[in-house]
Amino acid sequence: MARFRPGDRVRVLPNVVDTHHRTPAYVKGRVGRVHALSGSFHDPEDRAYGGSGLPKRELYLVGFGMRSLWGRRYRGGQKDRLLVDIYEQWLEPAGQPIEGQVDDER
Amino acid sequence: MSADHGHGGGRRHPGLAEGLSLSEPALRLLAMEELLVEKGVIGGDDVRRVMDVIAARSPADGARVVARAWTDPAFKLRLLEDPRAALAEVGYPVASGAVLSVVENTEAVHHLVVCTLCSCYPTSLLGPPPDWYKSFAYRSRAVADPRGVMREFGLEVDEAVEVRVVDSAADLRYMVLPRRPEGTEGMAEEDLVALVTRDSLVGVGAPNPPAAES
């Protein structure tokens, strides 16, 4: 059962690990929104070491505002986004944005 | 591995040119392949067979799928909703394991595909990726400065258009369905195929415009 749904605000765990995983460093600790459910797949973090990869893990296409990732250095439109597939074990609920604060998805 | 099996001497790896020196990663790869064969994990021919399957596909296959989608709205919907079924329908069965996703460029949204972690690419439909796709420069810059990268490829995306960079970091492989060029309304599907470039299937370029009337 998928824990998150499209539109949910999620934070990528900031964990630094030495083992094989598919979470790019540049989105770790960042807040985005679930764009779509990508399906469930054998866990690459287990399969990389000869495991079965079971149980399968949910994968999500998560969207981040380019401005929130790169700040003012980003050269492009306000709407520009990055979408990246992130496994459920790397996501936690981010709650609602605090009023008055810059929305960190954009 | 037996003592006379190393690359320093003894048996020579089939397919290696005389006097060719290999980089350390390439040597490591060959050593791993030989080890896997020796231990019976894969057959001696498996790697070559998989490479043949990949090499059998090319961007021309993607172009045919795109031209069909441009001329058949119902097919386009199926391609976006269930790429595997839609591709099988037009004679492109996608190997199991690879999950292909098709993202559509519109007036409002332009997609660009990258794999920052390695070089994931929809090889099951488009064949092997171009060398630049695997380069460190493309992989790092496409996510941080996509408009700058596209400009270098000769594509200027209007500021009002939302750029969506898709980082295929996990199990999905993304292909862009580019916008049909203006002035192609009367063109037949088979003529449209020639307008679809490999770059447009990754999102760093647009399809070619139709040839001017002579």
Side-chain angles (χ1 to χ4, degrees):
Chain A
M1 262 277 285
R3 184 181 177 196
F4 301 107
R5 287 190 296 194
D8 285 357
R9 276 179 102 242
V10 289
R11 179 180 292 103
V12 182
L13 298 183
N15 305 0
V16 176
V17 292
D18 290 337
T19 47
H20 177 82
H21 60 295
R22 305 297 307 179
T23 309
Y26 71 94
V27 293
K28 286 185 179 176
R30 301 308 184 103
V31 172
R33 245 179 231 281
V34 173
H35 181 79
L37 275 63
S38 293
S40 57
F41 297 89
H42 291 94
D43 186 355
E45 296 173 38
D46 182 49
R47 280 186 72 205
Y49 301 99
S52 65
L54 296 173
K56 286 186 174 182
R57 301 283 197 153
E58 292 293 330
L59 186 65
Y60 300 86
L61 190 59
V62 182
F64 302 85
M66 282 292 192
R67 290 287 168 94
S68 84
L69 287 178
W70 313 111
R72 287 192 194 153
R73 281 172 302 163
Y74 182 72
R75 296 182 292 169
Q78 288 282 356
K79 290 184 293 185
D80 290 1
R81 282 201 290 168
L82 179 114
L83 302 177
V84 55
D85 280 316
I86 304 288
Y87 275 97
E88 188 171 272
Q89 65 264 36
W90 279 89
L91 297 173
E92 62 179 10
Q96 289 309 306
I98 299 162
E99 205 165 336
Q101 270 194 359
V102 179
D103 187 342
D104 39 12
E105 303 143 43
R106 281 273 182 229
Chain B
M1 279 203 290
S2 53
D4 63 345
H5 193 193
H7 287 280
R11 205 186 80 175
R12 181 168 283 278
H13 198 278
L16 276 191
E18 203 65 44
L20 180 75
S21 68
L22 289 174
S23 66
E24 204 180 310
L27 280 171
R28 190 189 302 167
L29 191 75
L30 284 179
M32 278 175 60
E33 184 185 331
E34 289 191 358
L35 211 58
L36 288 168
V37 172
E38 211 169 274
K39 289 187 178 294
V41 179
I42 58 173
D45 211 24
D46 282 358
V47 171
R48 192 195 51 76
R49 274 196 299 114
V50 171
M51 285 171 75
D52 283 351
V53 168
I54 293 170
R57 291 285 169 83
S58 80
D61 297 304
R64 278 190 275 277
V65 172
V66 166
R68 168 66 62 90
W70 282 347
T71 51
D72 181 344
F75 174 77
K76 185 179 95 172
L77 279 181
R78 292 196 294 277
L79 182 66
L80 296 171
E81 289 291 314
D82 187 354
R84 181 182 293 273
L87 289 171
E89 190 186 310
V90 289
Y92 293 112
V94 176
S96 63
V99 177
L100 190 78
S101 178
V102 179
V103 288
E104 184 186 15
N105 283 351
T106 65
E107 266 177 45
V109 179
H110 180 92
H111 294 86
L112 171 72
V113 180
V114 62
C115 173
T116 56
L117 295 179
C118 43
S119 57
C120 298
Y121 185 80
T123 46
S124 57
L125 182 62
L126 304 184
D131 283 343
W132 55 259
Y133 186 85
K134 299 182 274 186
S135 73
F136 185 74
Y138 178 75
R139 287 161 46 210
S140 47
R141 291 185 58 223
V143 288
D145 184 21
R147 289 174 183 267
V149 169
M150 289 188 284
R151 204 169 290 128
E152 287 169 26
F153 275 92
L155 181 67
E156 188 75 45
V157 177
D158 193 278
E159 190 81 5
V161 173
E162 175 184 332
V163 168
R164 278 188 200 161
V165 177
V166 186
D167 184 355
S168 54
D171 288 72
L172 268 61
R173 303 292 173 264
Y174 294 90
M175 185 186 86
V176 174
L177 172 58
R179 285 179 72 193
R180 182 172 175 165
E182 286 173 19
T184 60
E185 290 71 18
M187 284 177 71
E189 186 182 328
E190 53 269 30
D191 298 322
L192 289 167
V193 172
L195 304 183
V196 183
T197 61
R198 181 186 60 193
D199 286 1
S200 72
L201 300 170
V202 183
V204 295
N208 291 323
E213 297 275 332
S214 53

